[in-house]
Amino acid sequence: MKKIVLITGATSGIGLGCARKFAENGDQLILTGRNEQRLAEISNELTEKGTQVKTLAFDVRDRNAAKKALDELPAEWKAIDVLVNNAGLALGLEPEYEGNLDDWDVMVDTNIKGLLTMTRLVVPGMVERNRGHIINIGSVAGDAAYAGGNVYCATKAAVKALTDGLRIDVANTAIRVTNLKPGLVETNFSNIRFHGDTERAAKLYTGIKPLTGDDIADTAVYAANAPEHVQIAEVLILATHQASGSVIVRK
């Protein structure tokens, strides 16, 4: 059955992979992100292939903008079936005692508070309709801290706790809640983390074949289309030569 799928951070990486994979699945898409031009390009790409797409340009850190965008959706788009909370980022690898406070604010406001904002805005409708699925993009970093990860790892640990807590809160409904925890994924994630240092970002993937956004999207689509009585609660997805957040074997 065709679903209405809302994906945050849909302009690149895992979010873009999810947009394309859910489109291939025949679903309708609500794509959000900060880059209005990029959203329009992706919308055109998918619309040409027959997908119905709505785009909403806002930053998940801006609670009022998020609410306004969702409130202004046409009535026929408001019954969101799947929420993919993908918007997130890492900034810096400094020791915690030398960290950049502004970077910390961005990570906490995006990875935790942005996820909470979208959950608060979308899930009440799911509860009212007694159907829906929330897919949060966590990380292997949420299982254990690694060197330089400190605050980013803490935000992804929070995603795990919030996902588990939400699953408990909606256990009396037919709503399902999933935490996808990727390991090393080759996207613009590292370029952002290193503040645009492309050369340093590229070295992260040297000697190992990393995951792609499409790999994570495949799992998201699988979870969303499992039988109604099946809840894919949590999935850890690693590259073959990655054993944990800190153990990577490079060939």
Side-chain angles (χ1 to χ4, degrees):
M1 185 179 71
K2 181 185 289 188
K3 300 180 178 69
I4 297 176
V5 181
L6 191 158
I7 303 167
T8 67
T11 56
S12 64
I14 293 172
L16 178 55
C18 285
R20 288 172 172 157
K21 292 292 183 177
F22 276 105
E24 289 175 8
N25 193 58
D27 297 315
Q28 297 176 221
L29 304 180
I30 303 170
L31 306 180
T32 86
R34 293 175 297 170
N35 189 329
E36 190 167 2
Q37 180 179 343
R38 185 70 183 121
L39 284 172
E41 292 169 355
I42 296 165
S43 177
N44 290 338
E45 170 197 330
L46 298 178
T47 300
E48 287 177 1
K49 296 177 180 179
T51 303
Q52 291 180 269
V53 181
K54 285 285 182 188
T55 60
L56 304 175
F58 64 87
D59 189 327
V60 294
R61 294 179 295 168
D62 187 335
R63 186 177 301 161
N64 292 330
K67 183 178 187 306
K68 183 175 185 292
L70 292 178
D71 284 346
E72 292 178 353
L73 278 172
E76 63 271 21
W77 285 85
K78 287 185 180 291
I80 295 163
D81 298 294
V82 180
L83 167 63
V84 181
N85 273 317
N86 163 74
L89 76 168
L91 291 170
L93 278 170
E94 299 86 359
E96 190 171 324
Y97 59 86
E98 294 178 352
N100 183 303
L101 275 71
D102 292 333
D103 285 351
W104 292 357
D105 284 343
V106 173
M107 285 187 282
V108 170
D109 289 349
T110 304
N111 301 357
I112 301 176
K113 293 167 70 176
L115 179 146
L116 282 170
T117 292
M118 296 305 298
T119 300
R120 182 66 180 84
L121 292 173
V122 174
V123 176
M126 293 181 174
V127 172
E128 184 179 340
R129 294 184 295 274
N130 194 35
R131 72 173 192 273
H133 195 153
I134 302 92
I135 300 175
N136 290 334
I137 306 300
S139 172
V140 62
D143 289 345
Y146 55 77
N150 45 75
V151 174
Y152 172 70
C153 294
T155 67
K156 289 303 183 178
V159 169
K160 173 176 171 50
L162 292 169
T163 306
D164 291 346
L166 179 61
R167 193 180 304 111
I168 293 166
D169 291 338
V170 299
N172 64 325
T173 75
I175 297 169
R176 300 180 293 184
V177 186
T178 299
N179 182 18
L180 298 185
K181 304 189 301 184
L184 195 63
V185 183
E186 188 168 12
T187 66
N188 66 343
F189 175 90
S190 295
N191 197 34
I192 293 171
R193 173 170 234 165
F194 299 137
H195 296 283
D197 187 338
T198 303
E199 184 177 345
R200 185 181 179 191
K203 288 179 180 178
L204 189 65
Y205 308 110
T206 301
I208 186 170
K209 184 174 182 178
L211 302 168
T212 68
D214 285 353
D215 294 325
I216 310 308
D218 282 336
T219 308
V221 172
Y222 173 81
N225 288 279
E228 289 184 1
H229 69 288
V230 177
Q231 179 170 216
I232 310 297
E234 186 170 289
V235 184
L236 176 64
I237 312 163
L238 302 175
T240 299
H241 294 293
Q242 179 176 15
S244 69
S246 57
V247 178
I248 298 172
V249 178
R250 303 179 188 276
K251 302 287 187 177

PDB file of all heavy atoms in Angstrom, residues 199-217:
ATOM      1  N   GLU A 199      40.050  16.777   1.858  1.00  0.00           N
ATOM      2  CA  GLU A 199      41.159  15.819   1.860  1.00  0.00           C
ATOM      3  C   GLU A 199      41.170  14.989   3.138  1.00  0.00           C
ATOM      4  O   GLU A 199      41.337  13.765   3.105  1.00  0.00           O
ATOM      5  CB  GLU A 199      42.489  16.571   1.709  1.00  0.00           C
ATOM      6  CG  GLU A 199      43.700  15.647   1.598  1.00  0.00           C
ATOM      7  CD  GLU A 199      44.996  16.422   1.370  1.00  0.00           C
ATOM      8  OE1 GLU A 199      44.915  17.621   1.026  1.00  0.00           O
ATOM      9  OE2 GLU A 199      46.068  15.822   1.540  1.00  0.00           O
ATOM     10  N   ARG A 200      40.971  15.639   4.257  1.00  0.00           N
ATOM     11  CA  ARG A 200      40.945  14.918   5.534  1.00  0.00           C
ATOM     12  C   ARG A 200      39.743  13.979   5.594  1.00  0.00           C
ATOM     13  O   ARG A 200      39.849  12.855   6.084  1.00  0.00           O
ATOM     14  CB  ARG A 200      40.895  15.917   6.697  1.00  0.00           C
ATOM     15  CG  ARG A 200      40.983  15.264   8.069  1.00  0.00           C
ATOM     16  CD  ARG A 200      40.902  16.298   9.180  1.00  0.00           C
ATOM     17  NE  ARG A 200      40.970  15.675  10.490  1.00  0.00           N
ATOM     18  CZ  ARG A 200      40.707  16.306  11.628  1.00  0.00           C
ATOM     19  NH1 ARG A 200      40.384  17.596  11.613  1.00  0.00           N
ATOM     20  NH2 ARG A 200      40.779  15.662  12.781  1.00  0.00           N
ATOM     21  N   ALA A 201      38.604  14.428   5.077  1.00  0.00           N
ATOM     22  CA  ALA A 201      37.407  13.596   5.075  1.00  0.00           C
ATOM     23  C   ALA A 201      37.609  12.344   4.236  1.00  0.00           C
ATOM     24  O   ALA A 201      37.188  11.243   4.612  1.00  0.00           O
ATOM     25  CB  ALA A 201      36.219  14.402   4.563  1.00  0.00           C
ATOM     26  N   ALA A 202      38.261  12.493   3.078  1.00  0.00           N
ATOM     27  CA  ALA A 202      38.463  11.358   2.176  1.00  0.00           C
ATOM     28  C   ALA A 202      39.322  10.276   2.813  1.00  0.00           C
ATOM     29  O   ALA A 202      39.128   9.076   2.553  1.00  0.00           O
ATOM     30  CB  ALA A 202      39.097  11.846   0.872  1.00  0.00           C
ATOM     31  N   LYS A 203      40.275  10.666   3.652  1.00  0.00           N
ATOM     32  CA  LYS A 203      41.180   9.702   4.287  1.00  0.00           C
ATOM     33  C   LYS A 203      40.420   8.740   5.201  1.00  0.00           C
ATOM     34  O   LYS A 203      40.891   7.628   5.459  1.00  0.00           O
ATOM     35  CB  LYS A 203      42.262  10.439   5.078  1.00  0.00           C
ATOM     36  CG  LYS A 203      43.289  11.136   4.212  1.00  0.00           C
ATOM     37  CD  LYS A 203      44.324  11.865   5.067  1.00  0.00           C
ATOM     38  CE  LYS A 203      45.350  12.569   4.182  1.00  0.00           C
ATOM     39  NZ  LYS A 203      46.345  13.338   4.985  1.00  0.00           N
ATOM     40  N   LEU A 204      39.278   9.161   5.672  1.00  0.00           N
ATOM     41  CA  LEU A 204      38.497   8.318   6.572  1.00  0.00           C
ATOM     42  C   LEU A 204      38.072   7.022   5.897  1.00  0.00           C
ATOM     43  O   LEU A 204      37.895   5.991   6.546  1.00  0.00           O
ATOM     44  CB  LEU A 204      37.275   9.094   7.065  1.00  0.00           C
ATOM     45  CG  LEU A 204      36.442   8.452   8.178  1.00  0.00           C
ATOM     46  CD1 LEU A 204      37.248   8.348   9.461  1.00  0.00           C
ATOM     47  CD2 LEU A 204      35.179   9.266   8.422  1.00  0.00           C
ATOM     48  N   TYR A 205      37.917   7.058   4.572  1.00  0.00           N
ATOM     49  CA  TYR A 205      37.418   5.900   3.831  1.00  0.00           C
ATOM     50  C   TYR A 205      38.532   5.126   3.128  1.00  0.00           C
ATOM     51  O   TYR A 205      38.263   4.173   2.398  1.00  0.00           O
ATOM     52  CB  TYR A 205      36.380   6.355   2.804  1.00  0.00           C
ATOM     53  CG  TYR A 205      35.296   7.217   3.408  1.00  0.00           C
ATOM     54  CD1 TYR A 205      35.215   8.585   3.121  1.00  0.00           C
ATOM     55  CD2 TYR A 205      34.365   6.690   4.296  1.00  0.00           C
ATOM     56  CE1 TYR A 205      34.236   9.390   3.687  1.00  0.00           C
ATOM     57  CE2 TYR A 205      33.394   7.482   4.874  1.00  0.00           C
ATOM     58  CZ  TYR A 205      33.333   8.833   4.564  1.00  0.00           C
ATOM     59  OH  TYR A 205      32.361   9.620   5.136  1.00  0.00           O
ATOM     60  N   THR A 206      39.795   5.518   3.358  1.00  0.00           N
ATOM     61  CA  THR A 206      40.916   4.849   2.718  1.00  0.00           C
ATOM     62  C   THR A 206      41.056   3.427   3.236  1.00  0.00           C
ATOM     63  O   THR A 206      41.034   3.185   4.445  1.00  0.00           O
ATOM     64  CB  THR A 206      42.222   5.618   2.979  1.00  0.00           C
ATOM     65  OG1 THR A 206      42.103   6.939   2.470  1.00  0.00           O
ATOM     66  CG2 THR A 206      43.404   4.926   2.320  1.00  0.00           C
ATOM     67  N   GLY A 207      41.186   2.467   2.308  1.00  0.00           N
ATOM     68  CA  GLY A 207      41.468   1.091   2.693  1.00  0.00           C
ATOM     69  C   GLY A 207      40.267   0.278   3.131  1.00  0.00           C
ATOM     70  O   GLY A 207      40.419  -0.861   3.588  1.00  0.00           O
ATOM     71  N   ILE A 208      39.075   0.812   2.995  1.00  0.00           N
ATOM     72  CA  ILE A 208      37.875   0.071   3.366  1.00  0.00           C
ATOM     73  C   ILE A 208      36.736   0.499   2.444  1.00  0.00           C
ATOM     74  O   ILE A 208      36.664   1.663   2.038  1.00  0.00           O
ATOM     75  CB  ILE A 208      37.476   0.303   4.844  1.00  0.00           C
ATOM     76  CG1 ILE A 208      36.304  -0.597   5.236  1.00  0.00           C
ATOM     77  CG2 ILE A 208      37.178   1.764   5.129  1.00  0.00           C
ATOM     78  CD1 ILE A 208      36.012  -0.594   6.734  1.00  0.00           C
ATOM     79  N   LYS A 209      35.886  -0.450   2.088  1.00  0.00           N
ATOM     80  CA  LYS A 209      34.708  -0.105   1.305  1.00  0.00           C
ATOM     81  C   LYS A 209      33.590   0.242   2.274  1.00  0.00           C
ATOM     82  O   LYS A 209      33.033  -0.631   2.933  1.00  0.00           O
ATOM     83  CB  LYS A 209      34.287  -1.271   0.405  1.00  0.00           C
ATOM     84  CG  LYS A 209      33.108  -0.912  -0.501  1.00  0.00           C
ATOM     85  CD  LYS A 209      32.784  -2.005  -1.500  1.00  0.00           C
ATOM     86  CE  LYS A 209      31.633  -1.565  -2.411  1.00  0.00           C
ATOM     87  NZ  LYS A 209      31.320  -2.593  -3.432  1.00  0.00           N
ATOM     88  N   PRO A 210      33.244   1.528   2.377  1.00  0.00           N
ATOM     89  CA  PRO A 210      32.237   1.936   3.356  1.00  0.00           C
ATOM     90  C   PRO A 210      30.825   1.665   2.854  1.00  0.00           C
ATOM     91  O   PRO A 210      30.607   1.324   1.682  1.00  0.00           O
ATOM     92  CB  PRO A 210      32.475   3.440   3.490  1.00  0.00           C
ATOM     93  CG  PRO A 210      32.968   3.839   2.132  1.00  0.00           C
ATOM     94  CD  PRO A 210      33.769   2.677   1.621  1.00  0.00           C
ATOM     95  N   LEU A 211      29.872   1.826   3.732  1.00  0.00           N
ATOM     96  CA  LEU A 211      28.468   1.770   3.358  1.00  0.00           C
ATOM     97  C   LEU A 211      28.114   3.006   2.540  1.00  0.00           C
ATOM     98  O   LEU A 211      28.853   3.990   2.533  1.00  0.00           O
ATOM     99  CB  LEU A 211      27.588   1.724   4.614  1.00  0.00           C
ATOM    100  CG  LEU A 211      27.836   0.572   5.587  1.00  0.00           C
ATOM    101  CD1 LEU A 211      27.108   0.830   6.897  1.00  0.00           C
ATOM    102  CD2 LEU A 211      27.405  -0.756   4.981  1.00  0.00           C
ATOM    103  N   THR A 212      26.964   2.945   1.874  1.00  0.00           N
ATOM    104  CA  THR A 212      26.439   4.110   1.165  1.00  0.00           C
ATOM    105  C   THR A 212      25.094   4.486   1.763  1.00  0.00           C
ATOM    106  O   THR A 212      24.483   3.704   2.514  1.00  0.00           O
ATOM    107  CB  THR A 212      26.250   3.808  -0.325  1.00  0.00           C
ATOM    108  OG1 THR A 212      25.188   2.839  -0.471  1.00  0.00           O
ATOM    109  CG2 THR A 212      27.530   3.262  -0.949  1.00  0.00           C
ATOM    110  N   GLY A 213      24.621   5.667   1.412  1.00  0.00           N
ATOM    111  CA  GLY A 213      23.291   6.070   1.848  1.00  0.00           C
ATOM    112  C   GLY A 213      22.229   5.098   1.386  1.00  0.00           C
ATOM    113  O   GLY A 213      21.250   4.825   2.108  1.00  0.00           O
ATOM    114  N   ASP A 214      22.415   4.530   0.200  1.00  0.00           N
ATOM    115  CA  ASP A 214      21.450   3.561  -0.329  1.00  0.00           C
ATOM    116  C   ASP A 214      21.391   2.295   0.525  1.00  0.00           C
ATOM    117  O   ASP A 214      20.325   1.689   0.674  1.00  0.00           O
ATOM    118  CB  ASP A 214      21.806   3.184  -1.771  1.00  0.00           C
ATOM    119  CG  ASP A 214      21.447   4.276  -2.769  1.00  0.00           C
ATOM    120  OD1 ASP A 214      20.798   5.258  -2.363  1.00  0.00           O
ATOM    121  OD2 ASP A 214      21.819   4.133  -3.945  1.00  0.00           O
ATOM    122  N   ASP A 215      22.537   1.888   1.073  1.00  0.00           N
ATOM    123  CA  ASP A 215      22.551   0.694   1.921  1.00  0.00           C
ATOM    124  C   ASP A 215      21.650   0.882   3.144  1.00  0.00           C
ATOM    125  O   ASP A 215      20.905  -0.025   3.535  1.00  0.00           O
ATOM    126  CB  ASP A 215      23.975   0.384   2.400  1.00  0.00           C
ATOM    127  CG  ASP A 215      24.909  -0.011   1.258  1.00  0.00           C
ATOM    128  OD1 ASP A 215      24.432  -0.660   0.307  1.00  0.00           O
ATOM    129  OD2 ASP A 215      26.101   0.332   1.340  1.00  0.00           O
ATOM    130  N   ILE A 216      21.720   2.048   3.748  1.00  0.00           N
ATOM    131  CA  ILE A 216      20.899   2.322   4.928  1.00  0.00           C
ATOM    132  C   ILE A 216      19.439   2.474   4.513  1.00  0.00           C
ATOM    133  O   ILE A 216      18.525   1.999   5.191  1.00  0.00           O
ATOM    134  CB  ILE A 216      21.389   3.596   5.646  1.00  0.00           C
ATOM    135  CG1 ILE A 216      22.908   3.536   5.879  1.00  0.00           C
ATOM    136  CG2 ILE A 216      20.649   3.776   6.969  1.00  0.00           C
ATOM    137  CD1 ILE A 216      23.400   2.268   6.553  1.00  0.00           C
ATOM    138  N   ALA A 217      19.220   3.107   3.366  1.00  0.00           N
ATOM    139  CA  ALA A 217      17.855   3.295   2.863  1.00  0.00           C
ATOM    140  C   ALA A 217      17.180   1.960   2.585  1.00  0.00           C
ATOM    141  O   ALA A 217      15.978   1.797   2.825  1.00  0.00           O
ATOM    142  CB  ALA A 217      17.879   4.154   1.604  1.00  0.00           C
TER     143      ALA A 217
END
